[in-house]
Amino acid sequence: MAICEHVQTLPDVDPHPVTPQGCEECLAEGYRWVHLRLCLSCGHVGCCDSSPMRHATAHSGKEAHPIVRSFEPGEDWRWCFVDEQIV
């Protein structure tokens, strides 16, 4: 497995202060989510691909932010959308 180069350039981010409790777009649009993901480029909190709206993936594509971390209690794994692997 190749090493993901995107993890080498990650800033230290905190969740957006406006919506640290849930998916930013789902809260605004009235949708429910399954699991949450934290963008490690900017702190955006979005819903996972098991959620109806898939806002974390949409955010990554729109903003070219490659890596998210699980935003679920007790989980600390990270996923690179570009390399399609856990990092």
Side-chain angles (χ1 to χ4, degrees):
M1 179 184 299
I3 304 259
C4 172
E5 66 188 47
H6 304 102
V7 296
Q8 298 172 5
T9 58
L10 291 175
D12 187 22
V13 299
D14 291 320
H16 283 179
V18 177
T19 59
Q21 73 281 9
C23 174
E24 223 167 287
E25 291 86 357
C26 285
L27 287 167
E29 299 166 7
Y31 292 105
R32 293 198 163 270
W33 57 86
V34 177
H35 299 289
L36 298 172
R37 307 293 179 243
L38 173 68
C39 175
L40 294 182
S41 294
C42 71
H44 172 270
V45 176
C47 57
C48 71
D49 284 358
S50 295
S51 300
M53 303 309 290
R54 302 177 62 184
H55 287 121
T57 297
H59 171 80
S60 174
K62 178 182 175 192
E63 301 297 331
H65 292 168
I67 300 178
V68 293
R69 177 177 59 79
S70 174
F71 201 53
E72 296 298 314
E75 295 183 359
D76 64 354
W77 57 266
R78 301 176 301 183
W79 175 258
C80 178
F81 287 106
V82 175
D83 295 323
E84 296 183 338
Q85 67 182 26
I86 291 179
V87 292

Short mmCIF file of all heavy atoms in Angstrom, two decimals, residues 6-54:
data_model
loop_
_atom_site.label_atom_id
_atom_site.label_comp_id
_atom_site.label_asym_id
_atom_site.label_seq_id
_atom_site.Cartn_x
_atom_site.Cartn_y
_atom_site.Cartn_z
N HIS A 6 -1.00 13.19 1.24
CA HIS A 6 -1.87 14.25 1.75
C HIS A 6 -1.81 14.41 3.26
O HIS A 6 -2.08 15.48 3.78
CB HIS A 6 -3.32 13.99 1.30
CG HIS A 6 -3.43 13.87 -0.18
ND1 HIS A 6 -3.55 12.66 -0.82
CD2 HIS A 6 -3.41 14.81 -1.14
CE1 HIS A 6 -3.60 12.86 -2.12
NE2 HIS A 6 -3.52 14.15 -2.35
N VAL A 7 -1.46 13.35 3.98
CA VAL A 7 -1.40 13.46 5.45
C VAL A 7 -0.22 14.30 5.91
O VAL A 7 -0.21 14.79 7.03
CB VAL A 7 -1.36 12.08 6.15
CG1 VAL A 7 -2.62 11.30 5.90
CG2 VAL A 7 -0.14 11.29 5.75
N GLN A 8 0.76 14.50 5.05
CA GLN A 8 1.95 15.27 5.42
C GLN A 8 1.70 16.77 5.46
O GLN A 8 2.49 17.51 6.02
CB GLN A 8 3.08 14.95 4.45
CG GLN A 8 3.49 13.50 4.50
CD GLN A 8 4.48 13.14 3.42
OE1 GLN A 8 4.97 13.99 2.68
NE2 GLN A 8 4.79 11.86 3.32
N THR A 9 0.60 17.23 4.88
CA THR A 9 0.35 18.67 4.78
C THR A 9 -0.91 19.10 5.53
O THR A 9 -1.45 20.16 5.25
CB THR A 9 0.23 19.09 3.31
OG1 THR A 9 -0.84 18.35 2.71
CG2 THR A 9 1.52 18.85 2.55
N LEU A 10 -1.37 18.28 6.48
CA LEU A 10 -2.61 18.62 7.19
C LEU A 10 -2.38 19.69 8.25
O LEU A 10 -1.47 19.58 9.06
CB LEU A 10 -3.18 17.37 7.87
CG LEU A 10 -3.74 16.30 6.96
CD1 LEU A 10 -4.15 15.09 7.78
CD2 LEU A 10 -4.92 16.84 6.19
N PRO A 11 -3.22 20.73 8.25
CA PRO A 11 -3.14 21.72 9.33
C PRO A 11 -3.81 21.17 10.58
O PRO A 11 -4.47 20.13 10.55
CB PRO A 11 -3.94 22.91 8.77
CG PRO A 11 -4.92 22.27 7.84
CD PRO A 11 -4.22 21.06 7.26
N ASP A 12 -3.64 21.85 11.70
CA ASP A 12 -4.32 21.48 12.94
C ASP A 12 -5.64 22.24 12.97
O ASP A 12 -5.65 23.46 13.05
CB ASP A 12 -3.44 21.88 14.13
CG ASP A 12 -4.00 21.37 15.44
OD1 ASP A 12 -4.79 20.41 15.43
OD2 ASP A 12 -3.65 21.96 16.47
N VAL A 13 -6.77 21.52 12.83
CA VAL A 13 -8.07 22.18 12.73
C VAL A 13 -9.00 21.74 13.86
O VAL A 13 -8.86 20.66 14.41
CB VAL A 13 -8.78 21.91 11.39
CG1 VAL A 13 -7.98 22.42 10.23
CG2 VAL A 13 -9.09 20.44 11.21
N ASP A 14 -9.93 22.61 14.18
CA ASP A 14 -11.01 22.32 15.10
C ASP A 14 -12.30 22.32 14.30
O ASP A 14 -12.40 22.97 13.26
CB ASP A 14 -11.11 23.40 16.19
CG ASP A 14 -9.93 23.36 17.13
OD1 ASP A 14 -9.49 22.25 17.49
OD2 ASP A 14 -9.43 24.43 17.51
N PRO A 15 -13.34 21.62 14.79
CA PRO A 15 -14.63 21.67 14.10
C PRO A 15 -15.14 23.10 14.02
O PRO A 15 -14.88 23.91 14.91
CB PRO A 15 -15.55 20.83 14.97
CG PRO A 15 -14.65 20.01 15.82
CD PRO A 15 -13.37 20.79 15.96
N HIS A 16 -15.87 23.42 12.95
CA HIS A 16 -16.45 24.75 12.82
C HIS A 16 -17.25 25.08 14.08
O HIS A 16 -18.05 24.26 14.53
CB HIS A 16 -17.39 24.82 11.62
CG HIS A 16 -16.66 24.94 10.31
ND1 HIS A 16 -17.33 25.01 9.13
CD2 HIS A 16 -15.36 25.01 10.00
CE1 HIS A 16 -16.45 25.11 8.14
NE2 HIS A 16 -15.26 25.10 8.65
N PRO A 17 -17.07 26.24 14.64
CA PRO A 17 -17.78 26.60 15.87
C PRO A 17 -19.29 26.72 15.69
O PRO A 17 -20.03 26.61 16.65
CB PRO A 17 -17.17 27.95 16.25
CG PRO A 17 -16.53 28.47 15.02
CD PRO A 17 -16.17 27.28 14.18
N VAL A 18 -19.75 26.88 14.46
CA VAL A 18 -21.19 27.03 14.21
C VAL A 18 -21.91 25.70 14.37
O VAL A 18 -23.02 25.64 14.90
CB VAL A 18 -21.42 27.59 12.79
CG1 VAL A 18 -22.90 27.68 12.48
CG2 VAL A 18 -20.77 28.95 12.65
N THR A 19 -21.30 24.59 13.94
CA THR A 19 -21.99 23.30 13.95
C THR A 19 -21.10 22.15 14.42
O THR A 19 -20.99 21.13 13.74
CB THR A 19 -22.52 22.96 12.55
OG1 THR A 19 -21.41 22.93 11.66
CG2 THR A 19 -23.56 23.92 12.07
N PRO A 20 -20.48 22.24 15.57
CA PRO A 20 -19.68 21.10 16.02
C PRO A 20 -20.53 19.90 16.43
O PRO A 20 -20.03 18.82 16.63
CB PRO A 20 -18.91 21.67 17.20
CG PRO A 20 -19.81 22.71 17.75
CD PRO A 20 -20.48 23.32 16.53
N GLN A 21 -21.83 20.08 16.55
CA GLN A 21 -22.71 19.03 17.03
C GLN A 21 -23.35 18.21 15.92
O GLN A 21 -24.10 17.29 16.20
CB GLN A 21 -23.80 19.61 17.94
CG GLN A 21 -24.89 20.39 17.23
CD GLN A 21 -24.52 21.82 16.82
OE1 GLN A 21 -23.37 22.23 16.92
NE2 GLN A 21 -25.49 22.56 16.35
N GLY A 22 -23.08 18.52 14.67
CA GLY A 22 -23.69 17.73 13.60
C GLY A 22 -23.27 18.21 12.22
O GLY A 22 -22.49 19.14 12.08
N CYS A 23 -23.81 17.55 11.21
CA CYS A 23 -23.52 17.90 9.82
C CYS A 23 -24.05 19.30 9.52
O CYS A 23 -25.23 19.59 9.69
CB CYS A 23 -24.18 16.88 8.89
SG CYS A 23 -24.03 17.29 7.14
N GLU A 24 -23.15 20.14 9.06
CA GLU A 24 -23.48 21.54 8.78
C GLU A 24 -24.69 21.68 7.85
O GLU A 24 -25.65 22.37 8.14
CB GLU A 24 -22.26 22.21 8.15
CG GLU A 24 -21.96 23.56 8.67
CD GLU A 24 -20.58 24.03 8.23
OE1 GLU A 24 -19.58 23.52 8.76
OE2 GLU A 24 -20.53 24.92 7.37
N GLU A 25 -24.63 21.00 6.71
CA GLU A 25 -25.70 21.11 5.72
C GLU A 25 -26.99 20.42 6.18
O GLU A 25 -28.08 20.94 5.96
CB GLU A 25 -25.25 20.52 4.38
CG GLU A 25 -24.17 21.32 3.68
CD GLU A 25 -22.76 20.95 4.13
OE1 GLU A 25 -22.59 20.10 5.03
OE2 GLU A 25 -21.82 21.53 3.60
N CYS A 26 -26.87 19.25 6.80
CA CYS A 26 -28.08 18.55 7.28
C CYS A 26 -28.82 19.39 8.32
O CYS A 26 -30.05 19.46 8.30
CB CYS A 26 -27.72 17.19 7.87
SG CYS A 26 -27.32 15.92 6.66
N LEU A 27 -28.09 20.02 9.22
CA LEU A 27 -28.73 20.87 10.21
C LEU A 27 -29.46 22.04 9.54
O LEU A 27 -30.57 22.38 9.91
CB LEU A 27 -27.70 21.40 11.22
CG LEU A 27 -27.18 20.37 12.22
CD1 LEU A 27 -25.96 20.91 12.95
CD2 LEU A 27 -28.27 19.96 13.19
N ALA A 28 -28.83 22.63 8.52
CA ALA A 28 -29.44 23.76 7.82
C ALA A 28 -30.65 23.34 6.97
O ALA A 28 -31.61 24.09 6.84
CB ALA A 28 -28.40 24.44 6.93
N GLU A 29 -30.60 22.12 6.39
CA GLU A 29 -31.63 21.66 5.46
C GLU A 29 -32.68 20.75 6.09
O GLU A 29 -33.64 20.36 5.44
CB GLU A 29 -30.95 20.93 4.30
CG GLU A 29 -30.00 21.82 3.52
CD GLU A 29 -29.08 21.04 2.58
OE1 GLU A 29 -29.24 19.81 2.44
OE2 GLU A 29 -28.18 21.67 2.02
N GLY A 30 -32.48 20.38 7.36
CA GLY A 30 -33.45 19.54 8.05
C GLY A 30 -33.34 18.05 7.78
O GLY A 30 -34.30 17.31 7.97
N TYR A 31 -32.16 17.58 7.35
CA TYR A 31 -31.94 16.16 7.11
C TYR A 31 -31.34 15.50 8.34
O TYR A 31 -30.79 16.17 9.22
CB TYR A 31 -31.00 15.93 5.92
CG TYR A 31 -31.59 16.32 4.60
CD1 TYR A 31 -31.19 17.49 3.96
CD2 TYR A 31 -32.54 15.52 3.98
CE1 TYR A 31 -31.73 17.85 2.73
CE2 TYR A 31 -33.09 15.88 2.76
CZ TYR A 31 -32.67 17.03 2.15
OH TYR A 31 -33.21 17.39 0.94
N ARG A 32 -31.36 14.18 8.38
CA ARG A 32 -30.70 13.40 9.43
C ARG A 32 -29.47 12.73 8.82
O ARG A 32 -29.42 12.46 7.63
CB ARG A 32 -31.64 12.34 10.00
CG ARG A 32 -32.79 12.94 10.77
CD ARG A 32 -33.40 11.86 11.67
NE ARG A 32 -34.22 12.44 12.70
CZ ARG A 32 -33.79 12.80 13.90
NH1 ARG A 32 -32.53 12.61 14.23
NH2 ARG A 32 -34.60 13.30 14.79
N TRP A 33 -28.50 12.45 9.65
CA TRP A 33 -27.29 11.79 9.20
C TRP A 33 -27.10 10.49 9.97
O TRP A 33 -27.72 10.25 11.00
CB TRP A 33 -26.06 12.69 9.39
CG TRP A 33 -25.89 13.13 10.82
CD1 TRP A 33 -25.24 12.45 11.82
CD2 TRP A 33 -26.38 14.33 11.42
NE1 TRP A 33 -25.30 13.16 12.99
CE2 TRP A 33 -26.01 14.32 12.78
CE3 TRP A 33 -27.10 15.41 10.94
CZ2 TRP A 33 -26.32 15.34 13.65
CZ3 TRP A 33 -27.43 16.43 11.81
CH2 TRP A 33 -27.02 16.39 13.15
N VAL A 34 -26.20 9.64 9.45
CA VAL A 34 -25.87 8.37 10.09
C VAL A 34 -24.62 8.55 10.96
O VAL A 34 -24.64 8.28 12.15
CB VAL A 34 -25.67 7.25 9.05
CG1 VAL A 34 -25.26 5.94 9.72
CG2 VAL A 34 -26.94 7.05 8.23
N HIS A 35 -23.52 8.99 10.34
CA HIS A 35 -22.26 9.24 11.05
C HIS A 35 -21.68 10.56 10.56
O HIS A 35 -22.02 11.03 9.47
CB HIS A 35 -21.25 8.12 10.80
CG HIS A 35 -21.71 6.79 11.27
ND1 HIS A 35 -21.82 6.45 12.59
CD2 HIS A 35 -22.10 5.70 10.57
CE1 HIS A 35 -22.26 5.22 12.71
NE2 HIS A 35 -22.44 4.73 11.49
N LEU A 36 -20.78 11.11 11.35
CA LEU A 36 -20.18 12.41 11.00
C LEU A 36 -18.71 12.27 10.67
O LEU A 36 -18.01 11.40 11.19
CB LEU A 36 -20.35 13.39 12.17
CG LEU A 36 -21.79 13.72 12.54
CD1 LEU A 36 -21.83 14.54 13.82
CD2 LEU A 36 -22.48 14.45 11.40
N ARG A 37 -18.25 13.17 9.79
CA ARG A 37 -16.84 13.24 9.39
C ARG A 37 -16.35 14.67 9.53
O ARG A 37 -17.07 15.61 9.20
CB ARG A 37 -16.67 12.79 7.93
CG ARG A 37 -17.28 11.43 7.63
CD ARG A 37 -16.54 10.32 8.34
NE ARG A 37 -17.13 9.02 8.06
CZ ARG A 37 -17.69 8.24 8.98
NH1 ARG A 37 -17.75 8.63 10.24
NH2 ARG A 37 -18.17 7.06 8.65
N LEU A 38 -15.11 14.82 9.99
CA LEU A 38 -14.48 16.13 10.17
C LEU A 38 -13.44 16.33 9.09
O LEU A 38 -12.51 15.52 8.95
CB LEU A 38 -13.81 16.21 11.55
CG LEU A 38 -12.98 17.45 11.83
CD1 LEU A 38 -13.86 18.69 11.92
CD2 LEU A 38 -12.17 17.27 13.11
N CYS A 39 -13.58 17.38 8.30
CA CYS A 39 -12.59 17.72 7.28
C CYS A 39 -11.33 18.20 7.97
O CYS A 39 -11.36 19.13 8.77
CB CYS A 39 -13.13 18.81 6.35
SG CYS A 39 -11.91 19.40 5.16
N LEU A 40 -10.21 17.56 7.68
CA LEU A 40 -8.96 17.92 8.33
C LEU A 40 -8.23 19.07 7.64
O LEU A 40 -7.16 19.46 8.07
CB LEU A 40 -8.06 16.69 8.46
CG LEU A 40 -8.62 15.61 9.40
CD1 LEU A 40 -7.64 14.45 9.51
CD2 LEU A 40 -8.93 16.18 10.78
N SER A 41 -8.83 19.62 6.60
CA SER A 41 -8.27 20.82 5.97
C SER A 41 -8.87 22.09 6.55
O SER A 41 -8.18 23.08 6.71
CB SER A 41 -8.52 20.80 4.46
OG SER A 41 -7.81 19.76 3.85
N CYS A 42 -10.19 22.04 6.88
CA CYS A 42 -10.84 23.29 7.29
C CYS A 42 -11.77 23.17 8.50
O CYS A 42 -12.25 24.18 9.00
CB CYS A 42 -11.63 23.88 6.12
SG CYS A 42 -13.12 22.93 5.71
N GLY A 43 -12.07 21.95 8.97
CA GLY A 43 -12.93 21.80 10.12
C GLY A 43 -14.41 21.62 9.80
O GLY A 43 -15.23 21.55 10.71
N HIS A 44 -14.77 21.54 8.54
CA HIS A 44 -16.16 21.32 8.15
C HIS A 44 -16.63 19.97 8.71
O HIS A 44 -15.93 18.97 8.63
CB HIS A 44 -16.27 21.30 6.63
CG HIS A 44 -17.60 20.90 6.11
ND1 HIS A 44 -17.94 19.59 5.83
CD2 HIS A 44 -18.70 21.64 5.81
CE1 HIS A 44 -19.17 19.54 5.39
NE2 HIS A 44 -19.67 20.77 5.36
N VAL A 45 -17.82 19.95 9.30
CA VAL A 45 -18.42 18.71 9.78
C VAL A 45 -19.52 18.32 8.80
O VAL A 45 -20.45 19.07 8.57
CB VAL A 45 -18.99 18.88 11.21
CG1 VAL A 45 -19.69 17.60 11.65
CG2 VAL A 45 -17.89 19.26 12.19
N GLY A 46 -19.36 17.12 8.20
CA GLY A 46 -20.33 16.64 7.22
C GLY A 46 -20.73 15.21 7.50
O GLY A 46 -20.08 14.50 8.26
N CYS A 47 -21.80 14.77 6.86
CA CYS A 47 -22.30 13.41 7.06
C CYS A 47 -21.58 12.42 6.14
O CYS A 47 -21.06 12.77 5.10
CB CYS A 47 -23.80 13.35 6.87
SG CYS A 47 -24.39 13.94 5.26
N CYS A 48 -21.56 11.16 6.57
CA CYS A 48 -20.85 10.09 5.87
C CYS A 48 -21.59 9.62 4.62
O CYS A 48 -22.72 10.03 4.36
CB CYS A 48 -20.64 8.92 6.82
SG CYS A 48 -22.16 8.03 7.20
N ASP A 49 -20.97 8.71 3.90
CA ASP A 49 -21.57 8.18 2.68
C ASP A 49 -22.74 7.24 2.95
O ASP A 49 -23.49 6.92 2.03
CB ASP A 49 -20.52 7.47 1.83
CG ASP A 49 -19.62 8.45 1.09
OD1 ASP A 49 -19.85 9.68 1.21
OD2 ASP A 49 -18.70 7.99 0.40
N SER A 50 -22.93 6.80 4.18
CA SER A 50 -24.11 6.00 4.53
C SER A 50 -25.31 6.90 4.81
O SER A 50 -26.43 6.41 4.91
CB SER A 50 -23.83 5.15 5.77
OG SER A 50 -22.84 4.19 5.47
N SER A 51 -25.08 8.18 4.93
CA SER A 51 -26.15 9.15 5.14
C SER A 51 -26.76 9.52 3.79
O SER A 51 -26.08 9.47 2.76
CB SER A 51 -25.60 10.42 5.81
OG SER A 51 -25.04 10.11 7.06
N PRO A 52 -28.03 9.90 3.77
CA PRO A 52 -28.69 10.19 2.49
C PRO A 52 -28.01 11.27 1.64
O PRO A 52 -27.95 11.15 0.42
CB PRO A 52 -30.09 10.64 2.89
CG PRO A 52 -30.32 10.06 4.24
CD PRO A 52 -28.96 10.00 4.89
N MET A 53 -27.46 12.30 2.25
CA MET A 53 -26.95 13.42 1.47
C MET A 53 -25.44 13.40 1.21
O MET A 53 -24.95 14.15 0.39
CB MET A 53 -27.34 14.74 2.16
CG MET A 53 -28.85 14.89 2.36
SD MET A 53 -29.84 14.61 0.87
CE MET A 53 -29.41 16.04 -0.08
N ARG A 54 -24.67 12.60 1.93
CA ARG A 54 -23.23 12.41 1.69
C ARG A 54 -22.47 13.74 1.64
O ARG A 54 -21.66 13.99 0.74
CB ARG A 54 -23.02 11.62 0.41
CG ARG A 54 -23.70 10.26 0.43
CD ARG A 54 -23.55 9.53 -0.86
NE ARG A 54 -22.12 9.28 -1.09
CZ ARG A 54 -21.64 8.72 -2.17
NH1 ARG A 54 -22.43 8.35 -3.13
NH2 ARG A 54 -20.35 8.54 -2.30
#
